[in-house]
Amino acid sequence: MGFMIHSTDDGRVPATEYLPAGAITPKAGMALNQADGLLAAAGAGAPSYICMADRADACGAGEYIPVVRVSGDIIFETAFTADAGTVKLGDKVAISADGLGVTGVTEGGAAEVVYMDGTEAGSMCRVRFH
């Protein structure tokens, strides 16, 4: 599913930026950070950007792709990639390894859950990054 913009606190449309990517296969909604000046999968921490491109093949290192900068006033809609068990509203959960959703792991989590329609794998949730 990825991280899709659900809403912003002030109703604005976040600006699209174009930044150089590493040799990644971008997916719309993929959480990204910069490493050595190139975009890469976000990993465990909070992402700085969300990818706005969807490609079947990997980018060449340095190829520019569209992204949206993450800020605390944006709510993103995504899904749990695994059973989230006892996760409740307000918990901070970890980003999945592929950067396209969240897990039920709360230790060191970066995404604050602000809405969810269940805790089973595939259940939709909304998150903020601070």
Coordinates of all heavy atoms in Angstrom, one line a residue, residues 3 15 29 32 44 46 49-50 61 72 79 93 104 116 120-122 126:
F3 N 2.7 4.7 2.0 CA 2.2 5.8 2.8 C 1.6 6.8 1.8 O 2.3 7.5 1.0 CB 3.4 6.4 3.6 CG 3.9 5.6 4.6 CD1 5.0 4.7 4.4 CD2 3.4 5.6 5.9 CE1 5.5 3.8 5.3 CE2 3.9 4.8 6.9 CZ 4.9 3.9 6.6
A15 N 4.1 20.2 -1.3 CA 4.8 20.4 -2.5 C 5.6 19.1 -2.9 O 6.1 18.4 -2.0 CB 5.8 21.5 -2.3
G29 N 4.6 5.8 -2.4 CA 4.3 5.6 -0.9 C 5.5 5.1 -0.1 O 5.3 4.9 1.1
L32 N 11.4 7.1 2.6 CA 12.8 7.3 2.2 C 13.5 8.2 3.1 O 12.9 9.1 3.7 CB 12.8 7.8 0.8 CG 12.1 7.0 -0.3 CD1 12.0 7.9 -1.6 CD2 12.9 5.8 -0.6
A44 N 14.6 1.8 9.9 CA 13.9 1.7 11.2 C 13.4 3.1 11.6 O 12.4 3.2 12.3 CB 14.7 1.1 12.3
A46 N 12.4 7.4 11.5 CA 11.4 8.2 10.8 C 11.9 8.6 9.4 O 13.0 9.0 9.3 CB 11.0 9.4 11.6
Y49 N 11.2 11.6 3.6 CA 10.5 11.8 2.4 C 9.6 10.6 2.1 O 9.9 9.5 2.6 CB 11.4 11.9 1.2 CG 12.4 13.1 1.4 CD1 13.7 12.9 1.9 CD2 12.0 14.4 1.0 CE1 14.5 14.0 2.1 CE2 12.9 15.4 1.2 CZ 14.1 15.2 1.7 OH 15.0 16.3 1.9
I50 N 8.5 10.8 1.3 CA 7.7 9.7 0.8 C 7.8 9.8 -0.7 O 7.6 10.9 -1.3 CB 6.2 9.9 1.3 CG1 6.1 9.8 2.8 CG2 5.4 8.8 0.7 CD1 6.6 8.5 3.5
A61 N 21.7 5.3 -10.1 CA 22.2 6.1 -9.0 C 22.3 7.6 -9.5 O 22.9 7.9 -10.5 CB 23.5 5.7 -8.5
G72 N 5.3 16.9 10.6 CA 4.4 16.5 11.6 C 3.0 16.8 11.4 O 2.1 16.3 12.1
A79 N -0.9 0.6 5.9 CA -1.5 -0.6 6.4 C -0.4 -1.3 7.3 O 0.8 -1.1 7.1 CB -1.9 -1.5 5.3
V93 N 4.8 3.0 16.1 CA 5.1 1.7 15.5 C 6.2 1.8 14.5 O 6.5 2.9 14.0 CB 3.9 1.0 14.9 CG1 2.9 0.6 15.9 CG2 3.3 1.9 13.8
G104 N 3.7 -4.1 13.8 CA 3.1 -4.0 15.2 C 4.2 -3.8 16.2 O 3.9 -3.7 17.4
M116 N -7.0 3.5 13.3 CA -6.8 2.2 12.7 C -8.2 1.5 12.6 O -9.1 1.8 13.4 CB -5.8 1.4 13.5 CG -6.2 1.1 14.9 SD -4.8 0.3 15.7 CE -5.3 0.3 17.4
E120 N -5.1 -6.6 12.4 CA -4.6 -7.8 11.6 C -3.7 -7.2 10.5 O -3.9 -6.1 10.1 CB -5.8 -8.5 11.0 CG -6.8 -9.1 12.0 CD -7.8 -8.0 12.4 OE1 -8.1 -7.0 11.7 OE2 -8.3 -8.1 13.5
A121 N -2.9 -8.1 10.0 CA -2.1 -7.8 8.8 C -3.0 -7.3 7.7 O -4.0 -7.9 7.4 CB -1.2 -8.9 8.4
G122 N -2.7 -6.2 7.1 CA -3.5 -5.6 6.0 C -4.5 -4.6 6.4 O -5.1 -3.9 5.6
R126 N -3.7 5.1 10.1 CA -3.2 6.4 9.7 C -2.2 6.8 10.8 O -2.4 6.5 12.0 CB -4.4 7.4 9.7 CG -5.3 7.1 8.6 CD -6.4 8.1 8.4 NE -7.4 7.7 7.4 CZ -8.7 7.7 7.6 NH1 -9.2 8.1 8.7 NH2 -9.4 7.2 6.6

